[in-house]
Amino acid sequence: MDLYIEEETFKGINFLASPLKKATYEFCTFDNCIFSDCYLSNMIFVECTFNDCNFSMAHLKNAAFRDIVFKDCKLMGLRFDEIDDFLFEVSFTGCNLELSSFYQKNLTNTDFVHCNLQGVDFSEVNLTGSTFDQCNLGNAIFDRSNLEKTDFSTSHHIQMDPD
């Protein structure tokens, strides 16, 4: 990928109507943008912030999210398990991640703050040292996940089988 976009702010853009250019985006901010149903496959995002964006059902195969902050975003039904593992790092505040999948991802020291995580698949995920602060974890799946030093103390609707 030859196109490199750095330190730009994108506001109120519907990327389904006007597709985002295939590029590497570094230190960019996306405010109130619509990515739902968009193809973000093979795109690279480095140290970007997404505020009030809608990513529901976006296609993320082999996209790269490196040190990404999501604030107040709608991220329903996303397949984070299809994202490139290299330097994958994210944090979520006030986000709706309902029915998304992180299957087999490494999410060590990841923050989930005030998030709706209903039905999220955390199967075989390494969540060591992660924090779930005031999150709704109804029907979230933690099958064979590493939960060492994970803080669930302020979250609710947690259903786990200790075996």
Side-chain angles (χ1 to χ4, degrees), residues 60-119:
L60 304 175
K61 186 128 181 126
N62 298 319
F65 285 169
R66 300 175 183 149
D67 197 11
I68 303 301
V69 174
F70 293 99
K71 293 181 183 174
D72 301 317
C73 291
K74 188 174 182 182
L75 303 151
M76 295 175 63
L78 291 186
R79 298 282 313 267
F80 288 98
D81 58 317
E82 295 183 340
I83 289 177
D84 181 19
D85 288 328
F86 183 68
L87 299 175
F88 175 66
E89 185 180 344
V90 289
S91 67
F92 304 94
T93 302
C95 294
N96 184 353
L97 290 120
E98 194 171 344
L99 302 174
S100 291
S101 175
F102 289 96
Y103 178 70
Q104 293 186 331
K105 286 312 231 191
N106 182 10
L107 294 174
T108 56
N109 302 310
T110 299
D111 291 327
F112 296 88
V113 180
H114 296 281
C115 291
N116 178 11
L117 300 167
Q118 292 183 70

Side-chain angles (χ1 to χ4, degrees), residues 96-151:
N96 184 353
L97 290 120
E98 194 171 344
L99 302 174
S100 291
S101 175
F102 289 96
Y103 178 70
Q104 293 186 331
K105 286 312 231 191
N106 182 10
L107 294 174
T108 56
N109 302 310
T110 299
D111 291 327
F112 296 88
V113 180
H114 296 281
C115 291
N116 178 11
L117 300 167
Q118 292 183 70
V120 172
D121 185 0
F122 290 105
S123 295
E124 300 181 32
V125 172
N126 182 359
L127 288 161
T128 302
S130 293
T131 301
F132 291 84
D133 183 12
Q134 299 182 29
C135 294
N136 181 350
L137 291 160
N139 296 315
I141 302 165
F142 293 95
D143 186 35
R144 295 184 304 271
S145 301
N146 183 345
L147 304 176
E148 188 177 339
K149 298 181 182 174
T150 301
D151 183 359

Side-chain angles (χ1 to χ4, degrees), residues 20-21 23-28 30 35 40-48 50 55 60 63-68 87 89:
L20 189 63
K21 293 177 185 170
T24 296
Y25 294 87
E26 192 165 355
F27 305 110
C28 291
F30 297 85
F35 294 92
L40 302 176
S41 302
N42 299 308
M43 291 194 191
I44 300 171
F45 299 93
V46 180
E47 294 190 49
C48 294
F50 296 91
F55 279 87
L60 304 175
F65 285 169
R66 300 175 183 149
D67 197 11
I68 303 301
L87 299 175
E89 185 180 344

